[in-house]
Amino acid sequence: MGRVYLCLGKNAEVPWYFERARAHIWNVEELCYFVQENAWLLEPDVLDEKLAAWVGEQCGLPDLARQLFASSREKEPVTAFVGTLFEYTGYCTKQQEQQVEKILRINESSGEAQRAGARGDYFLESRKFALAIREYDGLIREFKGMDPAFLGRVYHNLGVACAGLFWFERAADAFWQAWRLLRTKESALQFLAAKRLGLGEQGYVAFLANTPDLYQISLEFEKRMEACDLAWRESEDAAFILHAGEARRDGGGLSANRLSERLSALENDYRSCTAQ
């Protein structure tokens, strides 16, 4: 059985908005969850007196707000703010709290490039691909002389985000840069995948004929493609499409509600991926 949380205060009428994460927070439990899951995003200007005031006014927790206000004025305001928040709410265990504080101290000693990369990774993991691309592009453009290993990871993740939006040509360029810097098999495999999806079968074969140094890796890529094809055939989406086709051939059809629900889910996912 999972951990049980005692809800405190009330839901806000006006949510708190974390600009860099593009996230709305409606109550103190959501605030705790956001802080625990995204500790590397937290900087002194993120957890401040305005947020403390919001906790008091919108969440109906004036006592916690006073404590947070005091914490925001301490020598290490972010760590103090988070410690006060978790101690008051009892949201996480002491071990989890210590882990968050450890991340915060690492974050305080990290440069802006590392924090920008972490923001991009957050958006990527959240499938907010357009926002991830913006972070990675800005990082590559603005920060010169980065460690090649770090820059290679940025390019690789940029490729993943571009592929998520079906920008296969741009994804291939990013994966190529990642492979050039890292020389990892995974970047090479993803580069071939982007080429295969962007060029089509005949174009990809012609490309591969002129790239002999990737031939061995291409054999492993083909095995991955076969595994992906099998996984797709066994998926719920494939079954849905097959059922829709059979119903159409038989003169029947899926109910309007089912089609509407599936289309609505796809539309919402697309909007989330492309949201700016």
Side-chain angles (χ1 to χ4, degrees):
M1 183 175 180
R3 182 179 173 87
V4 176
Y5 297 103
L6 177 64
C7 296
L8 300 173
K10 62 181 182 178
N11 284 340
E13 294 182 6
V14 179
W16 185 260
Y17 184 61
F18 283 103
E19 175 68 28
R20 288 185 172 178
R22 304 297 194 275
H24 288 91
I25 304 298
W26 291 91
N27 53 54
V28 74
E29 285 77 29
E30 288 187 5
L31 176 61
C32 290
Y33 175 83
F34 179 86
V35 167
Q36 184 179 3
E37 295 298 316
N38 306 290
W40 43 263
L41 275 177
L42 306 179
E43 300 178 31
D45 62 340
V46 175
L47 303 181
D48 57 12
E49 296 174 359
K50 292 181 180 179
L51 177 55
W54 176 84
V55 168
E57 296 168 5
Q58 291 291 326
C59 297
L61 297 169
D63 185 48
L64 174 58
R66 284 191 292 271
Q67 295 182 40
L68 293 175
F69 185 88
S71 298
S72 67
R73 295 190 166 190
E74 293 190 18
K75 184 177 180 180
E76 295 182 343
V78 176
T79 304
F81 193 106
V82 171
T84 298
L85 178 67
F86 285 160
E87 182 177 354
Y88 187 94
T89 61
Y91 181 82
C92 59
T93 65
K94 193 64 178 178
Q95 184 178 6
Q96 290 171 324
E97 180 181 340
Q98 291 172 349
Q99 180 63 26
V100 171
E101 290 178 353
K102 180 180 178 180
I103 294 172
L104 291 175
R105 291 191 179 94
I106 294 173
N107 188 44
E108 288 175 353
S109 62
S110 298
E112 178 56 30
Q114 284 72 26
R115 290 195 291 270
R119 288 194 298 271
D121 295 346
Y122 165 78
F123 292 131
L124 181 62
E125 292 170 4
S126 303
R127 291 180 54 80
K128 296 179 179 179
F129 299 131
L131 290 172
I133 291 169
R134 186 166 69 179
E135 288 289 346
Y136 294 137
D137 280 344
L139 179 56
I140 293 168
R141 182 176 60 253
E142 295 173 17
F143 295 92
K144 307 301 181 183
M146 284 185 285
D147 173 67
F150 177 75
L151 181 59
R153 289 192 295 273
V154 170
Y155 270 117
H156 184 95
N157 289 347
L158 173 60
V160 174
C162 290
L165 294 180
F166 305 100
W167 298 352
F168 296 124
E169 182 176 354
R170 190 166 176 214
D173 290 341
F175 286 129
W176 176 263
Q177 293 293 341
W179 184 57
R180 183 178 62 82
L181 291 164
L182 301 174
R183 287 291 166 175
T184 60
K185 181 185 292 185
E186 189 59 32
S187 290
L189 286 166
Q190 297 299 336
F191 168 69
L192 291 176
K195 280 293 187 182
R196 174 68 176 81
L197 293 168
L199 294 173
E201 187 171 353
Q202 291 184 345
Y204 173 71
V205 171
F207 159 77
L208 202 58
N210 294 317
T211 318
D213 54 331
L214 289 176
Y215 176 73
Q216 290 298 323
I217 295 177
S218 74
L219 298 179
E220 182 172 338
F221 168 65
E222 291 303 323
K223 292 180 181 178
R224 284 199 179 187
M225 287 289 288
E226 293 173 3
C228 288
D229 182 64
L230 178 61
W232 160 253
R233 293 177 185 277
E234 295 176 349
S235 69
E236 292 183 4
D237 287 335
F240 181 86
I241 292 174
L242 177 63
H243 178 59
E246 291 175 345
R248 182 177 180 182
R249 285 193 299 272
D250 296 339
L254 295 174
S255 70
N257 285 341
R258 286 190 63 193
L259 285 172
S260 178
E261 289 173 0
R262 182 56 61 93
L263 289 173
S264 179
L266 292 172
E267 289 171 354
N268 290 336
D269 183 55
Y270 178 78
R271 291 192 187 99
S272 176
C273 292
T274 59
Q276 294 283 350

